[in-house]
Amino acid sequence: MTSIAETVQTVQEQLHQEAGIDFTKEIKHNLSVAQLYEDALKNEPGTFLSSAGALITSSGAKKGRSPRDKRIVEEETSARNVWWGPVNTKMSESVFMVNRERAVDYLNTRERLYVLDAFAGWDTKNRIKVRVVCARAYHALFMRNMLIRPTEEELANFGSPDFTIFNAGQFPANRYTTGMTSTTSVSINFKRREMVILGTQYAGEMKKGVFTIMHYLMPKAGVLSLHSSANEGPDGDVSLFFGLSGTGKTTLSADPHRYLIGDDEHCWSDDGIFNIEGGCYAKCIDLSAEKEPEIFNAIRFGSVLENVVFHPQTRLVDYTDKSITENTRCAYPIEYIPNAKLPCVGGHPKNIILLTCDAFGVLPPVAKLDQNQAMYHFISGYTAKIAGTEEGVTEPEATFSACFGQPFLVWHPTKYANMLAEKMSQHKADAWLINTGWNGGKYGVGKRIALKYSRAIIDAIHSGELAKQEYEEYPVFGLQIPKKCPNVPDNVLHPKKAWTGSAAEFDSMVQKLAKLFVDNFKLYQDQASAAVINAGPKV
């Protein structure tokens, strides 16, 4: 087998030939967790050890992703496939090379560089080889957790990567470079198979960068990429959960009676489902051992805690403290979750669950969707945010994110929706719309649907009980609502029966939300079929 020294020399030669990385540079290749801890604690200010053994780090000025600074290079191999617009902003090949040169020049000024070779995708037939080149041990450890760690043999035979990330996040982009909107730049070049990061040390840019890359390459290869969580029952039945922030995706897919395949990014191939990642990137705000024991206990040696506040002596983390940011996070290997399924692969999904948190109080707690409705609601990606006003009055605000992950789409949303419909039809998967939001009235009047009812609905889906129930059509939206569901009160199941206000108020709210759906879908109807357009609400 190839020795460590030989592997490092091969990597040095590749980086010198392909990127001009200095030959004299100390390359720290696929270091162990302990080595990365030592380097981070020794060389990176603002790095500490938590009382639980996790590495506490700072992501610098940026505490979250910078979607406005993301660019896709316009080049002949991919230009016709990319959904250009607000999500995918064009960058010329020459500007990409300017930024790439700037990143490499910066990396060449560093005493040491960290190089991680790992995989994206648990399916050995569809995985890609990813190389991360960075100057911070924190970034190397983060991606060691988030990608799939190679065995010794796989590392010895790794060869050339399929995609390389040059992370020079400590160094700014030049604002006078054509097309730059700030000192931050995150750009992907599909022809060169490279990603360049300048002006942000937020590690989530690398995670979502890899997802964006997979979101392009996988559909191109006939594999559907999805922003979803996935779990598997004792009988091997797989469920996919889609949902934006605050809908309960993480909570409802973490089921003690089912195995977790993954919490965020998956692909659906001809063989079934596979997780893209080797780890989880969990929100930590208000985390407690009582509410989320699996995540709480995963924060230990090997995990990376970002931007958290801790006690200066005891090093106990205060997860309620939002003074640095509300977006406190932890990255840990998926095997730190006790009921994770390893390898993270499963069969073809039996249930597709679309989660929404409707603050208007008019969507049912559960509805069974036909194929066209599933495509319509998948493309819409609806939930509602609660926005405060100066007077303290709160009004729900509709949010639509195509395919429940618009910031990471590369192809047009209908590409993913058509592939999903094809897979659902081929494997006879059932689709469900589940509202974990308000019931009995809008936010401020009605009540949030109890978590125990949402769990009971999911349990009834998994047991097959819900599919056997009698259904009635819900007007305007045309959804099929079950008349009964085990352990859920009948009046909760139908929004009109649960409504506490007047019938006129209810009808007005239904029309209001229906119109928002219809207006939003106008963005996609040029590439959607008539059947899918007609599956939406009628106003």
Side-chain angles (χ1 to χ4, degrees), residues 228-411:
S228 71
S229 58
N231 66 23
E232 182 181 279
D235 299 327
D237 60 298
V238 172
S239 287
L240 289 179
F241 294 80
F242 296 88
L244 302 175
S245 185
T247 58
K249 182 179 74 164
T250 305
T251 308
L252 292 170
S253 58
D255 186 326
H257 308 297
R258 295 173 69 83
Y259 298 105
L260 182 72
I261 295 172
D263 75 331
D264 197 40
E265 304 170 6
H266 292 84
C267 290
W268 189 349
S269 73
D270 291 340
D271 299 321
I273 287 291
F274 65 90
N275 189 350
I276 289 173
E277 301 183 297
C280 303
Y281 192 36
K283 287 181 186 142
C284 291
I285 205 71
D286 295 326
L287 180 67
S288 70
E290 296 74 39
K291 281 195 294 186
E292 292 176 285
E294 292 89 1
I295 295 173
F296 189 88
N297 293 323
I299 300 175
R300 49 190 163 100
F301 181 76
S303 301
V304 179
L305 274 168
E306 287 179 333
N307 305 316
V308 295
V309 176
F310 57 93
H311 191 279
Q313 272 84 44
T314 64
R315 297 294 199 258
L316 277 166
V317 176
D318 181 357
Y319 293 112
T320 63
D321 195 319
K322 305 172 185 177
S323 58
I324 296 176
T325 177
E326 283 204 21
N327 189 34
T328 51
R329 295 268 183 169
C330 183
Y332 50 85
I334 195 159
E335 57 265 29
Y336 282 17
I337 296 291
N339 65 333
K341 189 188 179 203
L342 295 166
C344 303
V345 296
H348 295 290
K350 195 175 172 184
N351 290 292
I352 312 291
I353 296 165
L354 309 181
L355 297 163
T356 184
C357 172
D358 174 36
F360 293 89
V362 294
L363 282 183
V366 61
K368 195 170 190 302
L369 306 176
D370 64 28
Q371 190 173 294
N372 290 319
Q373 287 174 327
M375 285 177 74
Y376 184 91
H377 286 278
F378 176 67
I379 292 170
S380 297
Y382 163 72
T383 195
K385 285 181 185 171
I386 310 307
T389 63
E390 289 94 37
E391 296 79 33
V393 180
T394 52
E395 279 297 319
E397 183 190 312
T399 305
F400 294 93
S401 183
C403 307
F404 294 93
Q406 185 166 309
F408 322 114
L409 300 181
V410 184
W411 302 80

Side-chain angles (χ1 to χ4, degrees), residues 72-335:
I72 304 285
V73 174
E74 185 182 20
E75 43 78 19
E76 72 277 6
T77 71
S78 64
R80 291 163 89 182
N81 301 329
V82 177
W83 181 40
W84 299 111
V87 176
N88 298 303
T89 306
K90 294 177 182 180
M91 172 186 266
S92 71
E93 291 183 85
S94 60
V95 168
F96 177 83
M97 292 310 289
V98 168
N99 280 3
R100 180 185 187 271
E101 190 81 351
R102 193 171 172 88
V104 168
D105 285 349
Y106 171 76
L107 293 170
N108 272 332
T109 67
R110 302 297 89 196
E111 269 182 53
R112 66 195 75 80
L113 290 181
Y114 298 92
V115 177
L116 175 79
D117 287 337
F119 300 105
W122 281 85
D123 177 358
T124 52
K125 281 196 272 183
N126 289 297
R127 71 185 181 186
I128 67 165
K129 296 183 288 182
V130 178
R131 172 167 290 165
V132 180
V133 184
C134 56
R136 285 194 69 177
Y138 146 49
H139 288 151
L141 180 58
F142 177 94
M143 288 305 277
R144 187 187 191 278
N145 286 348
M146 296 313 301
L147 291 171
I148 296 153
R149 297 155 286 286
T151 62
E152 272 186 51
E153 189 182 349
E154 285 171 335
L155 191 56
N157 299 317
F158 196 81
S160 295
D162 297 316
F163 232 97
T164 302
I165 298 171
F166 294 103
N167 187 342
Q170 300 99 298
F171 197 64
N174 184 334
R175 286 178 301 131
Y176 297 103
T177 302
T178 309
M180 293 297 99
T181 40
S182 74
T183 55
T184 299
S185 174
V186 178
S187 51
I188 294 172
N189 187 326
F190 288 113
K191 185 167 81 172
R192 292 189 62 90
R193 296 199 159 217
E194 291 176 342
M195 176 180 177
V196 170
I197 299 172
L198 289 165
T200 172
Q201 296 177 62
Y202 183 68
E205 294 287 9
M206 292 183 288
K207 167 194 155 69
K208 287 304 186 189
V210 170
F211 185 42
T212 303
I213 290 160
M214 291 294 274
H215 239 0
Y216 177 70
L217 296 179
M218 289 297 107
K220 197 177 182 193
V223 175
L224 174 59
S225 45
L226 301 161
H227 190 219
S228 71
S229 58
N231 66 23
E232 182 181 279
D235 299 327
D237 60 298
V238 172
S239 287
L240 289 179
F241 294 80
F242 296 88
L244 302 175
S245 185
T247 58
K249 182 179 74 164
T250 305
T251 308
L252 292 170
S253 58
D255 186 326
H257 308 297
R258 295 173 69 83
Y259 298 105
L260 182 72
I261 295 172
D263 75 331
D264 197 40
E265 304 170 6
H266 292 84
C267 290
W268 189 349
S269 73
D270 291 340
D271 299 321
I273 287 291
F274 65 90
N275 189 350
I276 289 173
E277 301 183 297
C280 303
Y281 192 36
K283 287 181 186 142
C284 291
I285 205 71
D286 295 326
L287 180 67
S288 70
E290 296 74 39
K291 281 195 294 186
E292 292 176 285
E294 292 89 1
I295 295 173
F296 189 88
N297 293 323
I299 300 175
R300 49 190 163 100
F301 181 76
S303 301
V304 179
L305 274 168
E306 287 179 333
N307 305 316
V308 295
V309 176
F310 57 93
H311 191 279
Q313 272 84 44
T314 64
R315 297 294 199 258
L316 277 166
V317 176
D318 181 357
Y319 293 112
T320 63
D321 195 319
K322 305 172 185 177
S323 58
I324 296 176
T325 177
E326 283 204 21
N327 189 34
T328 51
R329 295 268 183 169
C330 183
Y332 50 85
I334 195 159
E335 57 265 29

